[in-house]
Amino acid sequence: MTDQDKNFNYAALINREMEILDYKSMMKQKFKEGFEIGLKEAREEWREEGREEGREEEKIRILRNMIANGYKTDEALRIMGIPEAQWEALKVKLQFHELLKSVEYCLN
């Protein structure tokens, strides 16, 4: 093998290593960009879920107050304008809140 062949092989090896490093750098950058985009989308989704949970908790709080003031559960749901399709789910959550309340009372 001549010196010229050795230099050519060495240059080809260096070029290959540089291409691999460029590829890895590009992949790392794309991963970082994708991660940031995904994180932003997830935060927006979590924020919306939090708002929905907050609205539902507020409904339950109002229902508990209405029931405590003498309204029947169905009557309170009707007055609040909640669709009948949601009644059962809210009743279950309302019962769960009452259960939690009694457990907290027992623990204190």
Side-chain angles (χ1 to χ4, degrees):
M1 193 180 264
T2 66
D3 285 338
Q4 189 176 8
D5 290 338
K6 287 181 185 177
N7 287 340
F8 179 75
N9 286 339
Y10 181 72
L13 181 64
I14 294 294
N15 283 339
R16 183 175 184 278
E17 290 297 319
M18 292 292 287
E19 288 173 0
I20 290 171
L21 289 173
D22 287 345
Y23 174 78
K24 287 181 179 179
S25 176
M26 180 190 67
M27 292 303 288
K28 186 183 283 187
Q29 180 63 29
K30 293 297 180 185
F31 175 81
K32 183 179 177 185
E33 290 171 6
F35 181 79
E36 289 171 356
I37 290 169
L39 188 59
K40 181 180 176 185
E41 290 173 358
R43 283 183 180 146
E44 290 171 2
E45 185 177 320
W46 295 335
R47 191 173 294 124
E48 184 57 35
E49 286 177 10
R51 286 184 189 124
E52 288 175 21
E53 286 179 18
R55 286 189 287 264
E56 194 165 295
E57 290 297 318
E58 181 65 12
K59 286 179 187 177
I60 291 171
R61 188 185 67 74
I62 292 169
L63 279 171
R64 284 194 347 234
N65 287 338
M66 290 180 81
I67 292 168
N69 287 314
Y71 288 95
K72 294 180 182 173
T73 306
D74 291 346
E75 185 181 15
L77 289 166
R78 195 172 299 110
I79 290 170
M80 289 179 62
I82 297 172
E84 288 187 39
Q86 296 177 3
W87 286 16
E88 287 305 314
L90 284 172
K91 285 180 182 179
V92 168
K93 289 180 182 180
L94 190 61
Q95 290 171 349
F96 179 73
H97 279 273
E98 293 302 318
L99 178 66
L100 281 179
K101 192 174 167 184
S102 64
V103 168
E104 286 175 1
Y105 179 78
C106 290
L107 292 175
N108 291 329

